[in-house]
Amino acid sequence: MAVLPPDPVYVLRCPDKEKYGTVAFWCMENAGYTRHRTLNTQHIGFCRSVLLDNLLFYPSGEDSIGIFHLNDPNGFSQTLVPTKDTQSPKLGMVVCLKAFKFAAKYYVLAGYESGHFITWDIDLGEAVDVHAMRENSMALDYDPCTNRGIIGGSSENLTVFSYQREMMKLQPCGDMSVKNPGINCIRIRSDLKILSTGGLDGRIRIFSWKSLRPLAVLTEHKTGAIMDISYSTDKVTIWKSPIMAVAGMDSVISLWDLYN
């Protein structure tokens, strides 16, 4: 779930009790939440939607990416569709997304079932880089300030990467590993001090983002995978500290003050 500026509107990926692949928009009215728009993405999978400024990026269909413009009164949207020709790889479904800005331009990095990662220039509406990585990637995050990102998947290895920015070409920089295989989510905190990963083993692993040195392993979630990690954008009043929230398949949401 993500808050959409400037109004208190929420985006929710609905469970499969409803039709597969729906994204619902909610707003607070009369002390309750009311659904005011629903997108049918035609995507059956576990790829998370991504919010950047007033753009919502979401998997659409098998191998496409939809972009919904939240501030447009008519709900303008566009779709990024990979070129299909004899030279193009068979990509499969979109499995992970990261939207970011560099030099005042919007980009989105998308990972596919095949292990290919495509960098899209949103202004041009076209791919500027296609890079073949390993298959079964499931999670990624990228920090444009330090020009460094990280990709995880079903193995115990995480791949660190950067961009050759003149041409926006993705370049792997090396690997780091965790004890048990399976990384389901990755989050770099906005202050660029902390990297957190959520594993299929239920462990939350905390690293220094500067040195990539492991700092802690949190084991509050006893069964099932970690499904998502989020950080508060400011100090939470009741705890007087920034908080990390973690959701697991055990139906538990844990809140963490990492400094104390």
Side-chain angles (χ1 to χ4, degrees), residues 14-214:
C14 296
D16 56 9
K17 293 177 183 177
E18 300 186 20
K19 190 172 183 178
Y20 283 105
T22 57
V23 174
F25 298 81
W26 302 76
C27 63
M28 180 171 281
E29 295 179 357
N30 300 321
Y33 291 106
T34 302
R35 183 188 301 207
H36 70 98
R37 187 190 296 272
T38 301
L39 294 178
N40 183 12
T41 70
Q42 301 295 326
H43 176 81
I44 302 174
F46 298 97
C47 181
R48 298 166 181 83
S49 302
V50 178
L51 181 67
L52 178 61
D53 294 340
N54 289 298
L55 298 177
L56 176 69
F57 299 83
Y58 58 91
S60 177
E62 181 183 0
D63 57 4
S64 304
I65 301 166
I67 307 173
F68 187 81
H69 296 244
L70 299 169
N71 280 353
D72 189 287
N74 298 316
F76 174 72
S77 61
Q78 61 190 98
T79 305
L80 306 175
V81 182
T83 302
K84 291 180 172 62
D85 55 44
T86 56
Q87 303 299 317
S88 301
K90 182 174 177 57
L91 298 171
M93 291 192 299
V94 180
V95 293
C96 50
L97 292 172
K98 174 62 181 181
F100 61 94
K101 288 172 70 175
F102 173 66
K105 294 187 67 175
Y106 287 89
Y107 296 90
V108 62
L109 174 61
Y112 297 80
E113 277 186 297
S114 63
H116 290 84
F117 281 77
I118 297 182
T119 303
W120 295 88
D121 183 319
I122 304 307
D123 293 339
L124 299 177
E126 62 184 39
V128 293
D129 181 57
V130 180
H131 191 95
M133 304 281 276
R134 61 176 180 269
E135 294 183 20
N136 300 317
S137 297
M138 297 186 291
L140 74 96
D141 204 354
Y142 170 72
D143 164 36
C145 294
T146 59
N147 187 25
R148 188 170 60 168
I150 192 160
I151 296 168
S154 59
S155 76
E156 70 278 7
N157 294 319
L158 296 98
T159 299
V160 181
F161 69 91
S162 64
Y163 275 100
Q164 190 284 320
R165 283 184 159 172
E166 186 174 331
M167 301 296 293
M168 288 305 292
K169 300 297 182 183
L170 188 148
Q171 299 177 321
C173 303
D175 288 342
M176 54 186 286
S177 62
V178 296
K179 184 176 181 180
N180 297 329
I183 300 297
N184 200 39
C185 56
I186 297 172
R187 290 290 182 269
I188 304 166
R189 201 167 61 185
S190 60
D191 63 4
L192 308 183
K193 293 181 178 181
I194 295 293
L195 164 71
S196 301
T197 67
L200 298 180
D201 60 359
R203 265 66 169 182
I204 308 150
R205 293 175 171 85
I206 310 298
F207 301 84
S208 162
W209 180 230
K210 182 178 180 179
S211 66
L212 299 180
R213 180 171 61 90

